[in-house]
Amino acid sequence: LTLAIDDFSKLSNKVQLKVYDTNMDTVTFRKILERKEVQNSDLIIGPIMKEGNQMMKGFAAKYGIFHVSPLLTFTKSSINDPYLISATPDLK
């Protein structure tokens, strides 16, 4: 990821990466989503917990932010989210 950000930045595109730890806790994650800098994001990578991805559905729709799930596949999830990008696509 850092290599991709570095290469992207060399193309005159400023990239600012912020990392937050949810502690695998939905209350902590909700507080992170309340932060203005998160609400103004262009892309969110994570969270890795299923409950967090369910919380992201409403958040992503409200703010129009795409989010990447590093572990979630579409067939193993009942989350119907047009803003969700699966980094682990189904093998079919």
Side-chain angles (χ1 to χ4, degrees):
L1 181 61
T2 54
L3 288 173
I5 290 171
D6 184 50
D7 286 345
F8 196 67
S9 295
K10 289 177 184 175
L11 298 172
S12 302
N13 296 298
K14 300 281 183 193
V15 176
Q16 186 177 54
L17 176 67
K18 294 190 179 205
V19 179
Y20 301 94
D21 186 355
T22 65
N23 294 312
M24 297 299 286
D25 178 64
T26 56
V27 174
T28 301
F29 184 58
R30 185 168 308 283
K31 289 179 183 178
I32 291 169
L33 293 179
E34 292 172 356
R35 300 176 74 124
K36 289 292 181 196
E37 67 265 18
V38 175
Q39 295 170 358
N40 292 323
S41 297
D42 294 316
L43 176 71
I44 296 175
I45 301 173
I48 60 168
M49 58 186 174
K50 183 177 180 180
E51 296 85 4
N53 280 293
Q54 292 168 333
M55 293 168 64
M56 281 299 297
K57 181 179 179 181
F59 175 84
K62 180 177 180 179
Y63 294 99
I65 302 171
F66 284 91
H67 57 108
V68 178
S69 174
L71 303 176
L72 191 70
T73 62
F74 292 126
T75 58
K76 292 182 181 177
S77 166
S78 60
I79 301 171
N80 183 16
D81 182 353
Y83 290 96
L84 175 62
I85 301 167
S86 176
T88 310
D90 298 313
L91 296 176
K92 293 180 182 179

